[in-house]
Amino acid sequence: MQLKYSLITTLSALLLSGLYLGTYARTETVDTTLVLHEVVVTGSRTERPVTQSPGSISIVSPVLLRNTPAQSVDDILTMISGVNTTRSDGISNMHTNVSIRGLAGDEQGRTLVLFDGIPINTSDEGGVNWNSLHMDNIQRIEVFKGPGSSLYGNNAMGGVINIISKKPFSPFSVNASGSYGSLNTWKTNLGISSRVNDKFSVFLSGYYNKSDGFNNVPDSLRTNPDYSVARFVKEGGLYAKILYSPTALFNIDLAYDLYKDKRGEGEKIQAPDGEYRHFNHHRVQGRFYGEKGKFSYNAALYFQRQDYFKLDERMKNSDYQRFDVKSHRDDWGAIMHLRLSGKFNDLVIGSEFKNGSIDGGDHYVTSPDKVLNRGTIRIISVFAQDELSLLNKKIWLQMALRYDNAYFHKGWFEAIGENVSDFNTYNGKLKNNRWEHFSPRIALRYNPTETISAYISYSQGFRASILDDLCRSGWMWVGPKIANPDLGPEQIDNYEIGGTFRLTGTLSFSPSFYYAKGKDFLYYVATGEKMWGKRDIFQRRNISKVDVKGIEADLNYTPVNNLKINLNYSYNDAKIKDFKEQPELNDKLLTYAPKHQVKGYILWTGGIVDAMFRGRYKSKQYTSEDNSTAIKGFAIWDAQLSKWLFRHRLYVSGEIINIFNNRHMNTKEYMSAGRLMNIKLAVNINR
């Protein structure tokens, strides 16, 4: 508690010092996190000012992207109120989750992530490969908090994160950068873009990163210290985009994203590189859009493949065992929506098709055993939204409804071999399952003056079960588990009120209050069957109800154009309310859902140097569903200094992440790297 209050006091002091410094600051241009006239697209699938979007939206601007001391996209998102991330050790993390409003930070599938409006969550495990999203390819990020299923469907229970890519603006531009930092970490990037003419543009970038890494497993959790090694990282990617706009009614954006990596797991027995994981990730997107008069349309086709590999080796008594996990995860689909603008309303209708599949298995190297699984989920959707403007555009009323029809099929499981014979009972084809869901939303935003904008809303969100639960049997953290093809969607009803209030010309306050009731949340339940006659066998089931109450508040102060100060606080109380099979879990908090988060930063641009200083505090997080285990709360401070030289041709920056070397735990298994330092040099050529 002392740590929490000391951080609040320090952030408050920073805010007051910013008020003082602002009196003498020199005026230059700087982006802000959220201003009342700023245009967003995520809240309604079409461009509109924040004051016309009835919900809570946070924006990460280009200036914040460039000046935030962070090594990944999700690390930037951690500064937004209501957002929780699990990354703790820079680029070494293999898997990171980003959650919104306490809906279990170990379940990425409850927060939808879009790239240029196209979903990138996988159907197999609901996650997002955050390492594959390169910051130099990103223009801005919009975070819509609260259920967004009325427009976006699956995964949008807690909210929607829309990552918007860069577009070429210059006739020709080259940007090359290199950086070096702690843990012998090297990063290189090369980007080339050209706006050839008014109709045709191209954007191409590539990068390569490597790091010796460190061992992020605490000594107390290492199974055998003799085999413990550092977790190395090697990763790289290519991104290409073509934009063609022959007419206002017909525009095309085509993009291809390739990402590959190899990440050590911190243990080496016999394999040359020890245990490691590897992604071979392809993403292809095509967008077609245009407008004429009051009519506009937007269509998209996309395909995403993740080829995943993990080498797992271990010693069982004196026997060496190794198996390789190989999975092919495909997600593809199409989205279409049409917009018709009237004098007092905007009507959007649309449809979506998404198909996700998994073909994976554990292939033993030291024995002939195999454990294989396959399955496909298909979701077909239609949606409609109407937004009415009333009282000379002082009131915006939004009404939306979406229908989703999901079909799980082609499920199959097979365990082959003597060592996995205990799962033979479950071999064979899995039953098909179909379900449907309606997602309504009604919201109202009221703008009585230019300085006040308030909203109230009701919305419903859902998440389809992941294929890993529908069709894979095997070992999980609870022990042996069997697939459950009968799983339906998780659901949540959210009630919310909030707004943005301009207290002075330079100071604004944005609070929001929400209450959500969830049902059919997934939990592991003992089936009554035993493995080896003694070990409980578990299965995921739609079994519990959840209540979530919370407050988010942002204070933004811009005393002059080149000084920006933000201080925000989040309170979240997410509890299991009705779990008949395990009543002892009632009133327990959800895992990885901190009750309190305090965050803030000071950003100065346009002077001798650009500078950012940021801090964040996260309270205790429970790591078990019965709340018997937890990780302590922690505070982190970061800083970055940067400077453009020679008319924006040369860029130099230095950053320190975790200034005070707080080696905290952000998950129950992994400890942070502590202090990380990095220097960067970039060259920019424009003509």
Side-chain angles (χ1 to χ4, degrees):
M1 293 296 291
Q2 184 178 0
L3 179 64
K4 177 175 70 175
Y5 291 123
S6 67
L7 181 66
I8 295 173
T9 302
T10 306
L11 286 173
S12 300
L14 286 173
L15 180 62
L16 292 174
S17 68
L19 298 177
Y20 176 77
L21 289 170
T23 307
Y24 301 96
R26 190 159 50 93
T27 301
E28 291 188 18
T29 301
V30 62
D31 290 8
T32 60
T33 304
L34 180 63
V35 291
L36 292 182
H37 62 268
E38 195 152 16
V39 174
V40 295
V41 299
T42 309
S44 60
R45 280 193 182 268
T46 57
E47 291 187 355
R48 62 182 59 257
V50 170
T51 53
Q52 298 176 12
S53 186
S56 177
I57 300 177
S58 293
I59 299 169
V60 181
S61 68
V63 167
L64 284 177
L65 281 168
R66 186 176 67 246
N67 287 283
T68 299
Q71 297 190 345
S72 61
V73 175
D74 50 287
D75 195 21
I76 292 175
L77 294 173
T78 195
M79 293 304 296
I80 296 175
S81 60
V83 174
N84 183 34
T85 70
T86 60
R87 185 179 295 269
S88 60
D89 47 12
I91 69 171
S92 297
N93 270 80
M94 190 285 296
H95 188 75
T96 302
N97 289 319
V98 178
S99 60
I100 299 176
R101 293 188 168 176
L103 289 180
D106 54 349
E107 292 277 5
Q108 176 67 71
R110 291 174 182 154
T111 299
L112 177 64
V113 182
L114 308 172
F115 191 81
D116 285 335
I118 296 173
I120 60 175
N121 299 67
T122 66
S123 298
D124 176 46
E125 42 99 51
V128 170
N129 190 346
W130 289 98
N131 295 317
S132 71
L133 299 168
H134 190 46
M135 286 194 289
D136 285 349
N137 299 333
I138 296 170
Q139 178 70 17
R140 59 190 262 130
I141 304 172
E142 298 178 2
V143 180
F144 179 87
K145 304 170 193 174
S149 294
S150 62
L151 277 180
Y152 297 102
N154 187 28
N155 301 122
M157 289 181 65
V160 181
I161 300 169
N162 191 10
I163 300 165
I164 300 168
S165 65
K166 288 181 177 178
K167 292 184 178 181
F169 292 102
S170 303
F172 181 75
S173 176
V174 177
N175 183 278
S177 66
S179 68
Y180 178 74
S182 303
L183 310 176
N184 194 30
T185 300
W186 292 89
K187 294 182 177 182
T188 57
N189 178 77
L190 175 64
I192 301 173
S193 66
S194 174
R195 185 175 175 85
V196 179
N197 52 45
D198 291 340
K199 297 180 180 180
F200 186 72
S201 303
V202 294
F203 182 92
L204 177 66
S205 72
Y207 66 97
Y208 177 74
N209 306 327
K210 68 179 292 294
S211 175
D212 291 347
F214 71 106
N215 198 316
N216 60 357
V217 179
D219 293 341
S220 60
L221 297 180
R222 296 180 187 176
T223 55
N224 193 327
D226 294 336
Y227 304 134
S228 183
V229 295
R231 296 185 171 223
F232 66 88
V233 177
K234 297 177 182 179
E235 64 178 357
L238 291 171
Y239 178 71
K241 182 165 66 172
I242 298 173
L243 302 92
Y244 180 54
S245 305
T247 68
L249 191 59
F250 185 67
N251 303 270
I252 303 175
D253 293 0
L254 300 177
Y256 171 68
D257 201 348
L258 167 67
Y259 173 79
K260 293 187 176 183
D261 73 343
K262 189 174 184 179
R263 281 177 153 75
E265 285 288 285
E267 190 167 78
K268 181 178 180 180
I269 303 175
Q270 290 187 13
D273 292 321
E275 291 191 357
Y276 69 88
R277 304 189 194 219
H278 163 66
F279 276 100
N280 189 1
H281 184 116
H282 302 266
R283 186 183 303 123
V284 182
Q285 298 180 346
R287 297 174 57 238
F288 312 88
Y289 54 94
E291 62 178 313
K292 185 175 183 180
K294 297 181 179 180
F295 169 78
S296 63
Y297 72 95
N298 200 315
L301 300 172
Y302 64 91
F303 171 79
Q304 175 177 266
R305 162 163 281 198
Q306 283 189 359
D307 292 322
Y308 170 73
F309 175 87
K310 179 186 178 183
L311 188 154
D312 194 308
E313 56 178 358
R314 61 190 63 178
M315 297 297 297
K316 189 174 183 180
N317 298 323
S318 59
D319 294 331
Y320 172 75
Q321 297 180 346
R322 172 183 161 181
F323 66 91
D324 297 341
V325 181
K326 301 177 184 179
S327 296
H328 305 291
R329 303 164 176 164
D330 288 346
D331 288 277
W332 58 275
I335 307 170
M336 164 68 84
H337 74 264
L338 309 175
R339 175 189 179 190
L340 184 62
S341 299
K343 185 176 181 180
F344 299 109
N345 77 308
D346 273 336
L347 175 65
V348 175
I349 58 173
S351 62
E352 183 173 355
F353 172 88
K354 183 176 182 181
N355 192 87
S357 63
I358 175 65
D359 184 355
D362 300 341
H363 301 262
Y364 287 74
V365 177
T366 53
S367 73
D369 305 303
K370 295 181 181 180
V371 179
L372 308 174
N373 69 290
R374 292 198 301 265
T376 298
I377 186 168
R378 183 185 70 208
I379 302 179
I380 300 174
S381 317
V382 293
F383 57 88
Q385 176 179 277
D386 199 12
E387 294 179 296
L388 305 175
S389 63
L390 307 169
L391 295 181
N392 197 25
K393 296 187 177 181
K394 291 183 182 294
I395 293 179
W396 286 86
L397 176 64
Q398 184 184 85
M399 298 174 290
L401 180 65
R402 178 175 172 127
Y403 169 76
D404 287 88
N405 187 292
Y407 180 47
F408 170 71
H409 61 296
K410 298 181 181 178
W412 180 77
F413 173 81
E414 186 174 10
I416 306 169
E418 182 179 346
N419 293 324
V420 293
S421 59
D422 296 289
F423 286 101
N424 287 354
T425 306
Y426 309 105
N427 283 357
K429 183 179 179 180
L430 302 175
K431 66 178 292 188
N432 298 340
N433 180 29
R434 187 186 297 275
W435 52 263
E436 59 186 7
H437 188 267
F438 286 93
S439 303
R441 174 178 172 82
I442 182 167
L444 183 145
R445 185 175 277 274
Y446 178 46
N447 306 317
T449 69
E450 292 185 358
T451 60
I452 297 176
S453 181
Y455 71 89
I456 185 170
S457 70
Y458 160 76
S459 56
Q460 188 177 102
F462 79 94
R463 177 185 77 143
S465 181
I466 58 177
L467 289 170
D468 192 79
D469 290 330
L470 291 165
C471 65
R472 190 175 78 85
S473 297
W475 286 88
M476 295 294 289
W477 60 271
V478 294
K481 73 103 175 181
I482 59 172
N484 185 1
D486 289 323
L487 288 172
E490 295 182 332
Q491 303 177 51
I492 197 164
D493 290 278
N494 185 76
Y495 306 86
E496 184 172 346
I497 186 171
T500 298
F501 307 94
R502 185 75 64 186
L503 304 179
T504 67
T506 57
L507 182 66
S508 66
F509 179 57
S510 302
S512 58
F513 307 85
Y514 58 89
Y515 172 65
K517 295 181 68 67
K519 65 178 182 179
D520 297 329
F521 271 50
L522 296 174
Y523 281 90
Y524 285 106
V525 177
T527 63
E529 301 178 18
K530 302 281 186 180
M531 183 165 285
W532 309 314
K534 59 180 181 180
R535 189 75 183 255
D536 282 328
I537 297 176
F538 291 86
Q539 188 180 56
R540 285 268 253 180
R541 294 179 182 172
N542 297 104
I543 209 72
S544 72
K545 295 181 180 179
V546 171
D547 274 11
V548 185
K549 300 187 289 288
I551 301 170
E552 295 160 1
D554 281 78
L555 192 65
N556 287 291
Y557 181 57
T558 310
V560 290
N561 284 342
N562 59 338
L563 181 63
K564 168 69 181 176
I565 302 170
N566 171 269
L567 178 66
N568 67 73
Y569 169 72
S570 306
Y571 168 80
N572 187 275
D573 185 64
K575 289 182 178 178
I576 301 170
K577 294 307 294 182
D578 187 8
F579 198 158
K580 292 182 173 59
E581 283 73 7
Q582 298 183 53
E584 67 275 12
L585 297 184
N586 289 343
D587 293 323
K588 301 297 183 183
L589 291 172
L590 298 188
T591 56
Y592 295 101
K595 266 197 170 185
H596 305 279
Q597 293 190 80
V598 185
K599 310 168 187 179
Y601 65 82
I602 295 178
L603 172 61
W604 171 275
T605 60
I608 298 175
V609 295
D610 294 344
M612 175 180 274
F613 182 65
R614 70 173 189 172
R616 57 196 184 279
Y617 167 79
K618 187 186 298 187
S619 67
K620 176 174 69 175
Q621 301 173 80
Y622 290 105
T623 60
S624 60
E625 291 168 346
D626 62 0
N627 291 180
S628 61
T629 58
I631 51 178
K632 296 179 180 179
F634 58 86
I636 300 296
W637 300 91
D638 310 318
Q640 176 177 302
L641 298 176
S642 61
K643 178 66 176 179
W644 281 102
L645 302 167
F646 307 115
R647 297 182 180 180
H648 275 67
R649 289 187 175 92
L650 180 66
Y651 175 80
V652 181
S653 72
E655 65 181 12
I656 304 177
I657 297 173
N658 197 350
I659 295 172
F660 300 108
N661 198 31
N662 182 351
R663 299 205 67 189
H664 59 281
M665 302 286 289
N666 205 15
T667 67
K668 65 180 179 181
E669 300 97 352
Y670 301 138
M671 180 172 56
S672 74
R675 185 186 300 113
L676 297 173
M677 294 183 286
N678 186 62
I679 57 173
K680 180 178 180 179
L681 182 68
V683 177
N684 185 52
I685 301 172
N686 281 291
R687 69 170 180 85

